């Protein structure tokens, strides 16, 4: 039996856990200009939460607001298992001056070490471990084995998509093979198969034994075993007769492995999956087709695009195909990179060119135009740094062609509503003003029964906030609300509300009879998920009674999930005034938490598109622009404008511009710095 030696977490009775020792050390930290936050609860889930907790702690304890601080959040806390053992690196996040934090944390508690991640990274705390003369850990050393495996799993370079790994020494390979000795324990083996197969070093005997144990233990659910990827790749590499049955049972999850081993059979499987719109299968299909049938990547993509269109594959399949084409072209042709430009220039320029490449079918050119929507200025800026005048002129001409064709290509299009919701938040600023084609696209999506809850929430919020939602949209969604919209859908990190909240507001604003049914559902005690957001529906058809109920909740200290924002917008509608003036009256109001009010003040700067994110998002274009507007609004009090300045100073646009999405040009970053420098006197006064 294979035992995952060194990865058990048992410890002698009475011995303190890693968590206990780290907490004891943590309590000793802090001093002049440096503070640490208490260990986290689930309420501190992200770095934004950590910065909010720091602001609240500073205010409560009278700590200077420019004090540097360190903390870890609940996601970092996953480094500990239930017994408090450290099973991974503990990431320590921070704010303020990096050197001050580094000095305050020091080397870590006895038996542990801290690795400094630099001014743009987190500090990493882990155990101190030892290795033998061959660099191998004691198999009984839990942390040592983990650190050794992490080192082996690190690619030689992350600059290429095809991962390459340093070869194993004879001692390292022998150590790994020893861990896979017969009989097989799959839970243990998963840790050692990956570094071996990364070097194509799993033996036929090991592969066969792992396959037998895998199929027996996970019969009917092969994808449930975490180590399946390495074994499938070994089966394909070794041309094992059972490889195809295994791949077919795994389904689209196996697409990447099949693409790495192209053959007529893998091409057939990948094509069938790709026509369903699966992104991984589309990319794998392209890679296999390109390798086997068509060496020219553009012709290969054109052929597959036409086939996707002929089989009415989902629109997102064209995006997946474009991504595969871009990767192939930028990998195969070393596009010149201008001095000081970011590493994305070749990809961005290629995308701009594909948008007007007549060799590609229109659906693929539309996908390229959408992908290039926020990148043309970056390409133009980077092209200006090319040292070869002809190459620079060629790149600029590509941007000119793209900009001339862009409006036609993008008319009647929109984002992928099924993808990562953070990506939709990144482009929220594009919809601050809606064009007629935007309005029609949003309405069409709401009328489409295939649009899911996230898409409904995104589209309905935009139409309702801009006053473009009508009874037509209401009627389209009413047949779906009881079955689909009454389900829990978390909107903590989004700029839109739960779609049933927005639908209820719309029904009330329209005076539609369905409003009574919707409000009756909200009044029921179950399901429990709706309790924190029920009062947000008060924004529809506002009156004084709704305002009073909201205010009572706000001053009670209950957890704010958009309540103060709702009250401010509601009050503004009742009073016929701009919500900024409602919000500024609450500065220093007893019972109003400052960090919530600051977020609301920035969020309501444009009442036609309020920002519903639970915190000021320092990576967002929308929040940056609203912070600027508040800071420069002469109609506001000095205190309100100071809140705008503080939000602007803390935004990543100048502190960490590489983290702003969509990415900024150097010109935009320089303009932001100039804007802040021009207001340095106000910064000092704050």
């Amino acid at each position: 039996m294979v035992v995952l030696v060194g990865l058990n977490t048992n410890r002698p009775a009475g011995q303190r856990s890693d968590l206990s020792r780290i907490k004891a050390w943590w309590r000793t930290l802090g001093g002049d200009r440096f503070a640490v936050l208490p260990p986290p609860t689930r309420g501190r889930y992200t770095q934004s939460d950590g910065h909010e907790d720091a602001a609240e702690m500073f205010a409560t304890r009278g700590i200077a607001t420019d004090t540097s601080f360190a903390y870890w959040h609940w996601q970092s806390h996953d480094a500990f298992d239930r017994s408090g053992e450290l099973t991974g690196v503990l990431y320590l996040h921070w704010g303020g001056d990096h050197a001050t934090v580094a000095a305050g944390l020091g080397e870590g508690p006895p038996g542990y070490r801290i690795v400094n991640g630099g001014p743009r990274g987190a500090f990493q705390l882990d155990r101190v471990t030892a290795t033998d003369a061959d660099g191998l850990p004691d198999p009984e050393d839990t942390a040592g084995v983990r650190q050794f495996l992490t080192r082996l799993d690190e690619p030689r370079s992350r600059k290429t998509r095809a991962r390459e790994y340093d070869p194993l020494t004879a001692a390292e390979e022998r150590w790994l093979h020893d861990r896979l000795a017969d009989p097989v324990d799959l839970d243990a083996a998963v840790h050692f198969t990956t570094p071996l197969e990364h070097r194509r070093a799993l033996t036929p005997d090991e592969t066969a034994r792992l396959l037998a144990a895998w199929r027996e233990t996970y019969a009917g659910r092969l994808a449930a075993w975490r180590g399946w990827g390495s074994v499938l790749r070994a089966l394909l590499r070794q041309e094992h007769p059972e490889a195809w049955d295994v791949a077919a049972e795994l389904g689209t999850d196996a697409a990447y492995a099949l693409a790495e081993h192209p053959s007529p059979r893998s091409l057939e499987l990948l094509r069938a999956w790709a026509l369903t719109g699966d992104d991984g299968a589309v990319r794998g299909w392209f890679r296999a087709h390109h390798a086997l049938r068509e060496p020219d990547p553009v012709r290969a993509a054109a052929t597959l695009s036409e086939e996707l269109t002929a089989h009415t594959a989902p629109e997102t399949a064209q995006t997946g195909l474009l991504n595969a084409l871009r990767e192939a072209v930028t990998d195969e042709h070393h596009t010149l990179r201008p001095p000081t430009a970011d590493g994305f220039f070749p990809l961005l320029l290629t995308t701009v060119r594909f948008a007007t490449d007549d060799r590609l079918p229109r659906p693929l050119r539309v996908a390229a135009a959408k992908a290039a929507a926020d990148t043309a200025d970056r390409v133009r800026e980077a092209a200006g740094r090319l040292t070869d005048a002809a190459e620079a002129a060629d790149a600029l001409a590509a941007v000119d062609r793209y900009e001339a064709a862009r409006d036609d290509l993008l008319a009647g299009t929109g984002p992928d509503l099924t993808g990562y919701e953070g990506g939709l938040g990144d482009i929220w600023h594009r919809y601050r003003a809606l064009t007629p084609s935007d309005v029609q696209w949003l309405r069409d999506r709401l009328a489409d029964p295939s649009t899911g809850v996230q898409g409904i929430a995104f589209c309905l919020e935009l139409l309702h906030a801009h006053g473009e939602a009508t009874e037509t949209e209401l009627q389209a969604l009413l047949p779906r609300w009881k079955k689909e919209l009454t389900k829990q859908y978390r909107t903590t990190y989004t700029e839109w509300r739960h779609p049933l909240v927005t639908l209820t507001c719309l029904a009330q604003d329209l005076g539609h009879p369905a409003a009574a049914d919707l409000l009756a559902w909200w009044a029921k005690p179950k399901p429990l998920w709706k309790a924190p957001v029920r009062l947000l529906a008060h924004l529809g058809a506002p009156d004084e009674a709704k305002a009073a109920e909201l205010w009572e909740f706000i001053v009670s200290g209950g957890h704010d999930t958009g309540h103060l924002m709702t009250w401010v917008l509601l009050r503004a509608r009742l009073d016929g005034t701009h919500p900024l003036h409602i919000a500024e009256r609450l500065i220093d109001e007893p019972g109003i938490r400052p960090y919530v009010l600051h977020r609301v003040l920035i969020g309501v700067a444009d009442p036609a598109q309020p920002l519903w994110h639970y915190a000021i998002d320092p990576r967002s274009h929308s929040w940056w622009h609203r912070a600027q507007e508040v800071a420069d609004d002469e109609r506001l009090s000095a205190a309100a404008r100071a809140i705008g300045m503080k939000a602007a100073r803390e935004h990543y646009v100048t502190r960490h511009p590489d983290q702003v999405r969509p990415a900024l040009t150097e010109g935009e970053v320089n303009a932001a710095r100039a804007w802040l420098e021009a207001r340095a006197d106000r910064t000092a006064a704050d």
Side-chain angles (χ1 to χ4, degrees), residues 19 50 93 127 145 188 202 218 228 231 392 401 405 489 533 541 603 634 678:
L19 180 57
H93 302 283
R127 288 185 188 177
V145 171
L202 274 178
Y218 290 90
W228 68 261
V231 176
R401 290 193 301 272
Y489 168 66
V533 298
E634 297 289 350

Side-chain angles (χ1 to χ4, degrees), residues 465-484:
H466 285 287
E468 297 287 353
T470 68
E471 187 172 346
T472 301
E473 286 69 62
L474 178 65
Q475 293 288 8
L477 294 174
L478 284 178
R480 303 178 61 181
W481 79 269
K482 288 185 179 179
K483 271 192 174 180
E484 299 174 58

Side-chain angles (χ1 to χ4, degrees), residues 72 99 109 166 235 239 259 292 309 323 340 418 420 489 516 546 548 625 635:
W72 74 90
D166 288 326
L235 292 171
E239 300 183 349
L292 296 173
T309 300
N323 291 333
T340 75
T418 65
Y420 168 54
Y489 168 66
K546 291 177 180 179
H625 293 309
R635 301 169 300 171

Side-chain angles (χ1 to χ4, degrees), residues 441-451 472-473 476-477 480:
W441 185 85
L442 293 165
R443 287 175 173 164
D444 289 346
R445 299 290 75 72
L446 290 177
D448 186 345
S450 68
T451 301
T472 301
E473 286 69 62
L477 294 174
R480 303 178 61 181

Side-chain angles (χ1 to χ4, degrees), residues 112-365:
Y112 302 82
R113 66 181 181 208
I114 287 180
V115 175
N116 188 334
R120 295 188 177 183
F123 293 84
Q124 302 165 37
L125 186 150
D126 204 351
R127 288 185 188 177
V128 173
T129 61
T131 58
D132 64 15
D134 291 318
L136 302 172
D138 182 338
E140 297 289 344
D141 180 358
T142 303
V145 171
R146 169 174 53 77
Q147 293 169 6
F148 171 65
L149 294 174
T150 299
R151 178 173 63 80
L152 295 186
D153 280 340
E154 182 63 25
R156 178 181 294 170
S157 171
R158 294 187 178 273
K159 294 182 179 179
T160 59
R161 293 179 184 87
R163 292 287 189 250
E164 294 182 0
Y165 298 84
D166 288 326
L168 299 170
T169 66
E172 289 170 342
E173 186 167 343
R174 185 169 57 251
W175 190 96
L176 290 168
H177 285 306
D178 287 346
R179 308 280 79 73
L180 295 175
D182 195 33
V184 172
D185 178 342
L186 290 176
D187 290 339
V190 67
H191 298 278
F192 310 114
T193 57
T194 299
L196 282 168
E197 190 51 28
H198 276 161
R199 283 87 175 172
R200 297 179 169 236
L202 274 178
T203 67
D205 176 64
E206 288 169 338
T207 305
R209 287 188 289 104
L210 287 164
L211 173 62
W214 176 27
R215 301 201 79 164
E216 178 182 354
T217 306
Y218 290 90
R221 52 188 189 98
L222 293 185
W225 180 48
R226 292 186 299 126
W228 68 261
S230 296
V231 176
L232 176 59
R233 285 171 171 81
L235 292 171
L236 292 166
R237 175 173 58 83
Q238 296 162 10
E239 300 183 349
H240 194 286
E242 292 187 54
W244 301 107
D245 291 337
V246 170
E249 187 173 342
L250 286 165
T252 56
D253 288 343
Y256 288 99
L258 291 179
E260 290 174 10
H261 298 275
S263 70
R265 291 190 71 174
S266 65
L267 187 62
E268 180 184 356
L269 264 179
L270 288 166
R271 175 185 178 277
W273 294 336
L275 293 179
T276 69
D278 182 83
D279 183 72
V282 170
R283 293 180 185 226
W285 184 32
F286 170 83
R287 290 174 60 191
H289 181 85
H290 178 34
L292 296 173
R293 302 274 178 85
E294 177 50 77
D296 182 272
V298 174
R299 284 201 297 266
T303 298
L304 300 192
S305 175
E306 290 171 350
E307 192 164 355
L308 289 170
T309 300
H311 287 80
T312 61
E315 183 181 326
T316 53
Q318 299 284 351
T319 303
L321 181 57
L322 170 71
N323 291 333
L325 171 61
R326 294 191 303 174
E327 291 170 2
V329 170
T330 52
D331 282 348
E332 293 175 9
H333 305 287
H334 299 291
T335 309
L336 289 177
R337 186 170 299 174
T340 75
D342 64 41
F344 293 104
F345 177 70
L347 189 67
L348 301 180
L349 178 58
T350 297
T351 306
V352 165
R353 284 177 168 154
F354 282 154
T356 58
D357 191 331
D358 290 335
R359 295 174 297 170
L360 299 175
R362 182 177 175 87
L364 211 49
R365 286 185 280 123

